[in-house]
Amino acid sequence: QVQLVESGGGLVQAGGSLRLSCAASGSIVSIDAMDWYRHAPGEQREFVARIKSDGSTTYADSVKGRFSISRDNAKNTVYLQMNSLKPEDTAVYYCNVAGLYESDGLLAIMSEYWGQGTQVTVSS
């Protein structure tokens, strides 16, 4: 019913930059917040950044000043510009979307859906 497709990950040296994208598609009715999370090996999935429909943003302390989240509402796409990358940023990055979609004539929440993630590896 809903698809989330992340892209843009890769291997980069410390201090480098990457730009991640996540496109949401399906029977989407409305989208409020769009989030990025990451999951490093041996760690729990952690919140990275959020952008709400009014454009307000929230960041994890560990990425403040280095990462920037933005969105294109016409494309149902959220971006994560990552600068000054550190080895500790290495993880699989996922997006999650708070919104509503249509399912068999009813409204359902989107946040239960996750994409396949995109791997970010930062070498020292």
Side-chain angles (χ1 to χ4, degrees):
Q1 305 286 8
V2 172
Q3 296 81 40
L4 299 175
V5 179
E6 299 97 339
S7 62
L11 174 62
V12 64
Q13 289 188 332
S17 298
L18 285 173
R19 188 185 191 222
L20 307 184
S21 300
C22 172
S25 62
S27 305
I28 298 171
V29 174
S30 63
I31 292 178
D32 182 18
M34 304 182 83
D35 299 345
W36 283 99
Y37 286 78
R38 64 187 181 187
H39 191 183
E43 303 288 337
Q44 290 189 338
R45 182 176 294 178
E46 67 170 341
F47 168 81
V48 175
R50 166 174 293 166
I51 183 166
K52 300 186 72 175
S53 56
D54 62 3
S56 59
T57 57
T58 306
Y59 296 93
D61 288 342
S62 58
V63 306
K64 280 181 182 177
R66 300 187 299 120
F67 291 10
S68 178
I69 189 170
S70 60
R71 63 193 279 174
D72 184 333
N73 292 326
K75 297 180 179 179
N76 290 334
T77 299
V78 61
Y79 305 96
L80 187 68
Q81 178 67 43
M82 306 186 296
N83 300 326
S84 302
L85 282 162
K86 305 175 181 180
E88 50 264 44
D89 294 317
T90 295
V92 179
Y93 284 69
Y94 300 88
C95 69
N96 189 254
V97 176
L100 299 173
Y101 70 98
E102 183 180 351
S103 177
D104 295 327
L106 300 176
L107 294 179
I109 59 173
M110 293 178 59
S111 58
E112 62 189 24
Y113 287 91
W114 295 85
Q116 82 291 344
T118 186
Q119 175 71 49
V120 172
T121 303
V122 184
S123 62
S124 57

